[in-house]
């Protein structure tokens, strides 16, 4: 499975390069481009495929300007993240012992610190992506995906037994 994720990370790199080669015009988000971005988000169910990357690229290929595609992509994440939270909460409440046992056994300080760190680094990531897009350097994320994906492929195919 790790080799599959590494390979799909390389696929993400290819996907992130597509606007460099094919996106010609840019305008606002339309109903058609929003559907295209939603379809792009669906591909991110595969491990190693970037949700934000595929939605931004789908928007760019559908004619959306880079900043609008990125902003819409991050808004599009809200229902996906909320849905994942609901499913996770359901699993937590269905755990052995029910809600009372699950809630009583949680170290809220640790979870709070984790949530705060996740929020802060999430904001940093959004800022970095938007900044790269505005400067016309979105393809740099593709180079990162290629480097990490190839390194992981080498590691998991040559050294992981």
């Amino acid at each position: 499975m790790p080799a599959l994720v590494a390979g799909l990370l390389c696929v993400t790199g290819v996907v992130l390069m597509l606007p460099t080669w094919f996106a010609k015009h840019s305008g606002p988000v339309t109903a058609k481009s929003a559907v295209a971005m939603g379809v792009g988000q669906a591909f991110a169910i595969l491990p190693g495929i970037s949700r934000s990357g595929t939605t931004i690229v789908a928007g760019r290929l559908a004619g959306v300007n880079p900043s609008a595609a990125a902003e819409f992509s991050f808004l599009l994440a809200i229902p996906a993240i909320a849905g994942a939270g609901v499913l996770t909460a359901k699993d937590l409440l269905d755990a052995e012992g029910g809600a009372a046992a699950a809630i009583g056994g949680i170290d809220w300080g640790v979870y709070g610190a984790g949530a705060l760190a996740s929020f802060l680094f999430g904001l940093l990531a959004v800022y970095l992506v938007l900044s790269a897009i505005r400067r016309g350097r979105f393809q740099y994320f593709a180079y990162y995906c290629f480097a990490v994906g190839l390194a992981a492929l080498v590691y998991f195919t040559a050294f992981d037994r």
Side-chain angles (χ1 to χ4, degrees):
M1 182 65 134
L4 172 66
V5 174
L8 289 173
L9 193 56
C10 292
V11 170
T12 292
V14 172
V15 168
L16 295 178
M17 293 300 292
L18 293 176
T20 304
W21 303 323
F22 298 108
K24 301 287 188 241
H25 59 286
S26 62
V29 175
T30 63
K32 179 182 169 185
S33 61
V35 169
M37 293 174 79
V39 170
Q41 180 166 273
F43 285 106
I45 197 165
L46 298 169
I49 300 294
S50 168
R51 188 213 57 82
S52 59
T54 57
T55 55
I56 292 169
V57 168
R60 292 288 294 124
L61 295 177
V64 178
N65 75 54
S67 292
E71 291 169 9
F72 190 77
S73 171
F74 291 123
L75 289 175
L76 198 58
I78 294 170
I81 292 169
V86 167
L87 290 176
T88 301
K90 180 185 175 300
D91 291 343
L92 179 65
L93 295 176
D94 289 344
E96 187 177 320
I103 292 172
I106 292 175
D107 184 349
W108 291 103
V110 171
Y111 280 94
L116 179 62
S118 177
F119 175 76
L120 293 175
F121 281 98
L123 282 178
L124 177 64
V126 168
Y127 171 78
L128 289 173
V129 169
L130 289 174
S131 175
I133 287 173
R134 288 183 182 125
R135 290 181 291 142
R137 295 197 165 85
F138 186 60
Q139 74 275 10
Y140 288 1
F141 293 110
Y143 306 140
Y144 166 80
C145 289
F146 291 137
V148 172
L150 289 173
L153 270 174
V154 167
Y155 176 80
F156 288 114
T157 56
F159 301 111
D160 189 34
R161 306 208 185 235

